[in-house]
Amino acid sequence: MTMQRFPMVLPIFLGLAAAPAVAQPAACLTKTDDGGLQVGGKSSVASDKKEFYESSKVYPVQTFSDQAPTGNNAEFCLRYEIENVGQEHIQNLYWGLAGIFVKDFRPGIPDRQSRSQQLQSFKEPELDRTLLNAFTNNKAVSQAWRVETQTAQAASSQFADVAAVDQQQFLPAAVLQVLTASSMSQDGPLHVVNLEQGKPIYPIRETVSGEGIDLEVSSRVVLDGNSVSFQTDVSLGGESAGDARIAMPALQALAETKAAGAAEYYSAYLSSVEKQGGEFVGGFKQKRFSTTLDRKALLRDSLFLSEHVITVRANDNEYCYRFQSYLPFAVNYDLDRCGR
């Protein structure tokens, strides 16, 4: 399957209340909250029905996306959903923009995949093409709301800026060699927070809803003098949560991190991620992955808004989602790492 990376937006995920207010726009909710996006009326929902073709059969899917301002300055909600609207199962459904991979995408709204995010941008969301993949390498092009610009960087913001920087210019040659040897080099920019700004780090949060599974990932960084604490919480709920097994290698490896300022620490972290990749855990409602480092142990007094994947085995199925968390390493894992 050919994986396509989409232009990175710097998302800022705000916490969603456990019992959302009725006035909250649908774009800020998930399928767990309202049962799924609907088309019609004055809704801003963009929906498109597309078809995959495999072995002389037609496999239709329908995408949904919505956007809405939150009421805060230059801040929007974006929400993505996809449903198998045919009668047959679809193997290896992949939607890069939404960060969703489903091994066996089953028909009907119960298995509709839904996720929402909030982000800041001076430019309003626009409808754009989005690539879908299924089976071995069958493609379909739908449309969805997205924001192409970088996060709004307001001078009056109480939070530190996230800057997009060139990997080749920012990382030392020895670190680049480690990433290349581990097939972790990337074409796009790194997303860096420099601690010299002296501002708190914006907490991020994202939710995903599927068949009987509600997954939430919250990440923050706590600064205390020269100490920098990375904390990412993973919460799991829903009717199928009790039997679910989850692999979170990029986060599971975080607890073993003692420093991140040199190539040998990158090598140790990547090795730990590979080791943790096949380890699935379950029986929890919330787990925290954390480590505390001295600022001197960081690379160039900076931390990174990094991409990683979480794999969920539930309902005799396998789901894989891309999330963002703050890490001390400039390492990104996309959906092509699912199943490894």
Side-chain angles (χ1 to χ4, degrees):
M1 180 187 304
T2 300
M3 301 296 182
Q4 176 172 330
R5 292 185 59 84
F6 290 82
M8 171 62 70
V9 180
L10 304 183
I12 303 298
F13 302 113
L14 300 181
L16 302 180
V22 174
Q24 197 167 13
C28 299
L29 307 178
T30 70
K31 184 165 68 79
T32 300
D33 300 309
D34 60 19
L37 290 174
Q38 301 296 322
V39 182
K42 297 182 179 179
S43 170
S44 58
V45 174
S47 182
D48 212 355
K49 184 177 179 180
K50 293 296 178 180
E51 297 173 335
F52 295 106
Y53 301 91
E54 175 74 9
S55 301
S56 301
K57 290 185 178 181
V58 180
Y59 299 83
V61 297
Q62 189 161 2
T63 60
F64 303 80
S65 68
D66 196 11
Q67 60 83 24
T70 66
N72 296 326
N73 183 40
E75 186 175 79
F76 301 90
C77 287
L78 290 180
R79 176 173 168 183
Y80 301 103
E81 294 188 354
I82 187 167
E83 180 181 340
N84 179 351
V85 293
Q87 302 297 319
E88 305 287 342
H89 292 211
I90 297 174
Q91 302 305 310
N92 301 321
L93 185 281
Y94 167 89
W95 188 5
L97 174 62
I100 293 173
F101 173 85
V102 183
K103 187 173 183 180
D104 180 14
F105 193 35
R106 298 162 182 170
I109 197 169
D111 205 38
R112 181 193 285 199
Q113 300 293 302
S114 172
R115 70 187 307 161
S116 63
Q117 63 186 41
Q118 288 177 287
L119 56 86
Q120 293 181 330
S121 173
F122 286 124
K123 186 178 180 181
E124 293 188 1
E126 296 180 349
L127 283 174
D128 199 3
R129 290 158 50 93
T130 178
L131 180 65
L132 311 172
N133 285 81
F135 299 103
T136 303
N137 191 23
N138 291 0
K139 300 177 182 178
V141 177
S142 186
Q143 64 173 354
W145 291 104
R146 65 186 301 166
V147 172
E148 295 286 357
T149 57
Q150 294 181 12
T151 301
Q153 303 292 319
S156 60
S157 174
Q158 69 182 96
F159 297 103
D161 291 345
V162 180
V165 301
D166 181 80
Q167 176 181 251
Q168 299 295 322
Q169 295 180 357
F170 186 86
L171 299 179
V175 171
L176 288 171
Q177 290 176 0
V178 170
L179 294 178
T180 300
S182 301
S183 300
M184 291 302 301
S185 59
Q186 63 185 51
D187 298 327
L190 302 174
H191 296 99
V192 183
V193 180
N194 187 274
L195 298 183
E196 292 181 357
Q197 298 176 67
K199 294 182 177 182
I201 313 303
Y202 205 111
I204 60 176
R205 181 179 178 184
E206 183 175 14
T207 59
V208 174
S209 300
E211 184 179 3
I213 292 292
D214 305 319
L215 186 63
E216 176 185 298
V217 178
S218 304
S219 183
R220 67 174 186 153
V221 175
V222 179
L223 306 178
D224 184 9
N226 288 325
S227 295
V228 183
S229 295
F230 296 82
Q231 300 176 359
T232 297
D233 293 331
V234 178
S235 300
L236 180 64
E239 296 177 355
S240 302
D243 297 325
R245 307 288 293 177
I246 301 183
M248 305 161 280
L251 299 179
Q252 289 167 301
L254 179 64
E256 301 178 4
T257 299
K258 304 303 179 185
E264 58 264 32
Y265 301 119
Y266 270 76
S267 181
Y269 176 75
L270 292 173
S271 296
S272 181
V273 171
E274 292 301 315
K275 175 183 176 182
Q276 302 281 1
E279 296 187 11
F280 284 74
V281 298
F284 70 92
K285 292 184 177 180
Q286 179 172 310
K287 291 184 72 71
R288 170 166 292 182
F289 303 91
S290 64
T291 190
T292 299
L293 306 179
D294 190 282
R295 283 182 60 167
K296 295 179 181 179
L298 299 176
L299 180 64
R300 296 188 175 179
D301 202 24
S302 297
L303 52 92
F304 304 90
L305 185 57
S306 297
E307 293 184 331
H308 60 97
V309 296
I310 293 179
T311 302
V312 181
R313 290 177 178 171
N315 310 312
D316 295 322
N317 204 355
E318 185 168 294
Y319 311 89
C320 188
Y321 306 108
R322 185 181 65 238
F323 290 95
Q324 288 190 322
S325 294
Y326 291 112
L327 294 176
F329 299 100
V331 174
N332 290 297
Y333 292 92
D334 202 0
L335 292 180
D336 59 357
R337 292 279 168 162
C338 295
R340 292 191 182 183

